[in-house]
């Protein structure tokens, strides 16, 4: 019986190590808080950079179902594309927001928002090159 316990602990250690390696190589994006700005709902996403690279720009386009069968697509961004970047360093977190001065508001309250699905993801590292790490989004 004593020979089984060390092997079991060793196997458990390998499993935990393997799952840690997988989580350490990605960029995880999850649903953030919805807020109301000027009477319209503004969703957000939270990004956690678990990769080894710095993210210069991240954009996730989300299609949102609204009442009456309507659907709108909004761009949630880490920064203005042509403006000052707010890099997300390895191990860092940031909020992706809709920039209401450059995109159309949803014109709906937060209670009216239904299903959300990812339409497109843009991830750029230093120099405008595509991120090497995978981006997982759960809107």
């Amino acid at each position: 019986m004593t020979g089984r316990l060390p092997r079991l602990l060793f196997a458990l250690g390998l499993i935990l190590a393997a799952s840690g390696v997988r989580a350490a190589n990605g960029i995880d994006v999850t649903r953030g808080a919805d807020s109301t700005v000027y009477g319209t709902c503004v969703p957000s996403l939270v990004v956690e950079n678990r990769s080894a690279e710095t993210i210069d720009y991240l954009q996730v386009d989300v299609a949102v179902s609204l009442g009456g069968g309507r659907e709108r697509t909004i761009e949630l961004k880490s920064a203005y594309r042509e403006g000052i970047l707010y890099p997300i360093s390895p191990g860092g977190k940031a909020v992706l927001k809709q920039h209401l001065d450059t995109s159309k508001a949803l014109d709906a309250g937060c209670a009216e928002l239904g299903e959300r699905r990812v339409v497109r993801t843009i991830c750029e590292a230093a120099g405008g090159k595509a991120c090497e790490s995978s981006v997982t989004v759960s809107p």
Side-chain angles (χ1 to χ4, degrees), residues 18 33 39 51 68 91 109 128 132:
S51 74
E132 292 179 9

Side-chain angles (χ1 to χ4, degrees), residues 29-44:
V29 183
T30 56
R31 188 171 173 172
D34 294 343
S35 60
T36 302
V37 178
Y38 303 118
T40 189
C41 191
V42 180
S44 69

Side-chain angles (χ1 to χ4, degrees), residues 4-75:
R4 284 179 106 186
L5 185 58
R7 282 186 276 165
L8 182 62
L9 291 175
F10 178 74
L12 180 61
L14 286 176
I15 292 170
L16 291 175
S19 65
V21 168
R22 185 172 47 237
N25 289 331
I27 300 165
D28 295 330
V29 183
T30 56
R31 188 171 173 172
D34 294 343
S35 60
T36 302
V37 178
Y38 303 118
T40 189
C41 191
V42 180
S44 69
L45 295 171
V46 176
V47 58
E48 185 172 357
N49 184 2
R50 296 175 188 237
S51 74
E53 64 185 322
T54 298
I55 303 166
D56 275 355
Y57 180 79
L58 182 61
Q59 176 179 326
V60 177
D61 296 352
V62 178
V64 180
S65 297
L66 304 171
R70 297 179 299 147
E71 182 177 272
R72 290 280 316 278
T73 300
I74 55 172
E75 299 171 342

